[in-house]
Amino acid sequence: MKNRNEELKRKMKKAASISLCAVLAGGLAAGTYTGVNYLTGYEQSVQAATSDEKVELLKSEKKSDDSESKNDSKDSSTNKGSLDVSDIVEEAMPSIVSITTKSVEEVQSYYGMFGQYGAYSPSQEQEVQGSGSGIIIGKNDSELLIATNYHVVEGAETLSVGFCDSTACEAKVKGYDSEKDLAVVAVSLDDIDSDTMDAITIATIGNSDDLKVGAQVVAIGNALGYGQSVTTGIVSAKNRQVNSDNTISDYDSDSISATNLIQTDAAINPGNSGGALLNMNGEVVGINSSKLASTEVEGIGYAIAISYVTDTLETLMNEETRDKVDNHGVLGITVQTVDSDVSEAYGVPEGVLVRDVTEGGAADDAGIEAKTIITKFAGKVVTTKEQLVDFLSYYEPGEDVELTVEVPDGKGYKEETVTVTLGENTDTQNTDSKDNGDGQGTMDESGNLVEDWQNNEGGAGLQYGEGWN
C-alpha cells in the first residue's frame, strides 16, 4: 500500500511538471508574438516636386484582400499594438518638428495700473514667445512644408522650426484655415543644410476613418516647449467637435465651422499642439489640437481627424507663400460678423456681412452692395471680420482678389464670385487693421448683430424668420 502511494505521488509530480512547462511555453509564445510587433514601413526620401506639379500628401496604400489574408498575423500584431512603441517613435520622429513663435502683445504694467494714471495709463508692448509642434507633410521645388495648428502660429511676428537633428530655420506661414485650426508653414530649402535634409523624412498620412475606439495611438510633440516627447494611449471616442462655448458634442458634418476630432487619453499638453497622433503602423491619423482642462476630468485630449482635412491641407500646401505688407490693400466696406448663432436664428449664411460700401471704393467698383455676405477670400473660408482683416494684411493695393459672396435673392441667397482690385488705405488717422473693418475707415462696433437685426437697426433690413426684405 505504501509503495502504491509513493508511486501515485511520483506520477502527480510528473504531471504537474508537464503542466507547468506547458504554461511557461504558452507564455513565451505569447510574449514572442507581442515582441515581434514592430514597424515594417519604408523610409520616405525627401524629393522635390517641379514647380508645375501639385504637392500632395504622402498617403498610406490600402492593402488588397489577398495581401491582408496572407499577412493576418502581422496585421493583427501591428494594429493591436504593444506597450513598446519605440520602433514607431524612431521611424516617426524625423518627420516631427518643434515650432517657436514670437509675437508682440500690449500689456499694462503694474505701475501703470496702480500708479498716477490708474486704469487709464498707456499700455506697453511686450514680446511673447510661444511653442508648438508640426509635421513634415511635403516639399516643393523651393520649400519644405509643415502642417500645424492655426492657433500655434496665430499672430506670430516670427517663426522658427526645429528639426530632429537639433538644427533650426526661420519659417513663414504659407496658408491657414482658422475654422479647422490648421496651418501650413514653409521653410526655404536654401536654409536647410544637406545633413538635415538627410535626417528628416516626410510623414505618411493614414486613414482616421479606420480607427477603432480602444485602438492604441501614440502622440509626439514639443510638450511645454522642452523638446519632443512621446505619450501613448487609446482612442477614447471618435467624431467629436468643440463648440463655440467650449462644450463638446458629436460632430456636425453640416456645419462649416465644425472640425471632426478624435478623443484620446494620450496626454496632449501645451506645446503638443500641431504634433502627430499616430496609429500602430506609424501613420499620422490626427493632428494634436487641444485638451479638456478641468479639475473634474482627466485624460481627455483631442486631435483633428486627418481624413477630414487632407483636402484642406493639400490646398494650403499649394498656396503662394506671402509676407504681411506694411500698407495692405482695402475693400472699402464696413462689415460685421455673421456667426453660427445668427446664421441659425435667421437662416443666413455664415460669413462677413457688408453693412456699408464706400462710394468709389474697391468693393463698389466691383459691384458689391450692402447686405452681401462674404464667405471666401481668395478661396479661403471667411467667417469673422478679424479673418477678413488678416487675409487683407498679405495683399498690396492694386492686387486682384477673388471673393465668394452670398447675394440676397428674394427669400434666399445666390452664390457669386467677384474679382476685386484692392484699393489703397487712405485713412491717416487710424491705420491699425485690428481696429478697422477693412483697414480703411471704421469698423462697425454697433454691438450684437442679433439685437441689431431684431430691432431692424443699422440698415441690415433682416426680419426674424422672414429672410431679407
Side-chain angles (χ1 to χ4, degrees), residues 48 74 105 130 187 196 208 225 299 302 336 345 352 423 443:
K74 176 183 171 183
E105 294 183 359
V187 179
T196 299
S208 57
Y302 296 95
Q336 189 141 2
V352 176
M443 167 68 79

Side-chain angles (χ1 to χ4, degrees), residues 393-425:
S393 67
Y394 291 89
Y395 290 80
E396 295 182 344
E399 287 195 72
D400 290 339
V401 178
E402 186 176 88
L403 301 181
T404 300
V405 298
E406 294 284 346
V407 180
D409 184 27
K411 298 296 183 180
Y413 303 88
K414 177 176 61 177
E415 183 177 279
E416 295 182 357
T417 300
V418 182
T419 299
V420 181
T421 302
L422 298 179
E424 187 174 356
N425 188 352

